[in-house]
Amino acid sequence: MTSTNPFLSPSTLPYELPPFADIREEHYLPAFEQGMAEQLAETEAVAANPEPPGFENTIIALERSGDLLDRVSKVFFNRASADTGPGIQEIEARINPALAAHADAIHLNPALYSRVKALYETRAELGLDAEALRLLERYHTRFVRAGAELTEDGRERLRALNAEIAEASTAFEQNLFADTKAAALVLDSADELAGLSGDAVAAAAANATALGHDGKYVLSLKNFSNQSELASLDDRALRERLLTASLGRGLTSNRELTARLARLRAERAALLGYENHAAYVVADQTAGTPEAVTSLLARLVPPAVANAEREAAALAAASGLEDFSAWDWTYWSEKVRKAEYDIDTAAMRPYFELDRVLRDGVFHAAGQVFGLGFTERTDLAGYHPDVRVFEVSNADGSPLGLYLGDFFARASKRGGAWMNSLVDQSALFGRKPVVVNNLNVAKPAAGEPALLTYDEVNTLFHEFGHALHGLFSEVRHPFFSGTAVPRDFVEYPSQVNEMWVTWPEVLAHYARHHETGEPMPAELVARMEAAERFGQGFRTVEYLAAAVLDWAWHTIPAGHDPGDAEEFEAAALKEAGLALPAIPPRYRSTYFAHIFAHGYSAGYYSYIWSEVLDADTVEWFKENGGMRRENGDTFRRELLSRGGSVDPMAAFEGFRGRAPRIEPLLTRRGLTG
């Protein structure tokens, strides 16, 4: 290994921003290999330390280990999601099983665990402050949940299972990436796109050119089932083709992998002493028990289905179709919405220009609520030419961190939207945070504005809520930094940030026509908010169907063969009362990357679980005067800055003054009667 590899030492750029301009594909694998070797040597030195175990020489030593591995991992896995290619995918396929084995080498080291366990058993006598005590407890939990107390035979089987799961998850994601790319619809004429706005047609043409189909039009698929174009395309046969292409992803390539991953996870859970994978996952989440999750989902399904059935009857009547189908739903929803509320979502797009939404909406809200300032740093390079870098400052001008925005779709980016941390905040290392948001907005033709749908505006605010969670982190130990909280809590801050989308002061600031500068008419805003309540049955059923599928796959016991993926899926939806042919799940099993590739296994319920907290918090803001700095400062201090350093539900109850109530959520989603 040569000294030219930029990962081998901390970055000298502001905030230790990775030196993307210097990073080459050939740097990743050597950095991973050296990083794993270094951390293994560091942890083995801890295990072999002849001195009695102490907090500094054991827990803090573990916190300090793996710095190189952390640097390369953060950059690589963001690259693998946002700008992949054959070389990156080959490295990913090699490195994921190696990383699983590396984690096992640490957590299944008996000598190392004995030191952690000895400290844990005497923790009351160590005089640790609250964060240090929680760190010790969490390390102990991590080791136990990773199998440290298994027999040697058990540890050996666990190593094999972890390797198989890592390989299968990587294959699932890479298959889905290829299938999604291959399933794009290539069209010969703009006439076929009747109903889409002019800029959407232009974006389809630009997409075709980027994909090597000059003179044609390409509709690339988003990661979820119901593609956004279904709401506008007049050609019913084309809508059917588009939805069929979406729903068919992975049926060949991932059909067996879904069942295989479910079986492997069930066996691993049993090995670790749990009834099933869901029980294993939820034991370390705020939900606590599978029964708590099952109870919430069961409570929501009947009223959601009743709402959806009322909507279906109204849409079928409006359409006059005797065979009203899934590809008709969002199209006729738009027709009914326009007729009843005089809302045309396509006509709203000129008011949602990306840069204005970002600066005058997202950043403006953060300035009003939290006092933040944003300065674009064109002198700092991202990992792709589309990436923009902003320096974030506090109200007093002090530096907070860096925010990177990667907003446009491209052939090398997976679908969806997400937030990643590139540098974790921690006082231990003296580091401030660097975070990135990825979206998949259609890139406009050169010289044209990027106009967002209302859903994309909401997504931008949502993902920025995750970014704030990372930026506001104020912890000592990197273990707890930013979004390192239970999975069923991590969506909470991002969902709260969605409230500012339609907050009158914020909306008036950013929702302006991109050509005239005229604000969105006040009556349109009022109609938009009323129309938001229309279709809640569809949205809730679509989400719940996916959550139920996740739960069904991950509550199978060890040794159970779930059989064919499509048949299992159909049976699970029928049993839950969610088998509505006109409303496919937001994700079908074979393209449900959240649960089979991205860490949300037995955790997709988290969105609705977190929304209970979110809706209750929105009520708190309204009760306390809304967009006031005092409110933002309280929310930041009590929740957003704490990361995983405190029990999240205790922090919420301290902030809210009581346990969360579900009623605000039920009201929001129209599930109260």
Side-chain angles (χ1 to χ4, degrees), residues 489-496 610 613-614 617 635 639 652 655:
F489 192 82
V490 76
E491 296 298 334
Y492 160 52
S494 57
Q495 290 170 326
V496 169
S610 295
L613 309 182
D614 150 40
T617 299
F635 191 46
L639 283 164
F652 177 87
F655 159 74

Side-chain angles (χ1 to χ4, degrees), residues 347 351 507 511-513 518-528:
Y351 294 96
L507 186 68
R512 292 178 173 271
H513 198 283
E518 289 296 312
M520 183 181 284
E523 65 273 15
L524 179 56
V525 175
R527 294 198 305 273
M528 182 179 74

Side-chain angles (χ1 to χ4, degrees), residues 462-476:
H462 175 99
E463 295 304 331
F464 192 74
H466 285 305
L468 288 175
H469 201 182
L471 287 166
F472 283 150
S473 179
E474 198 171 337
V475 299
R476 174 164 177 76

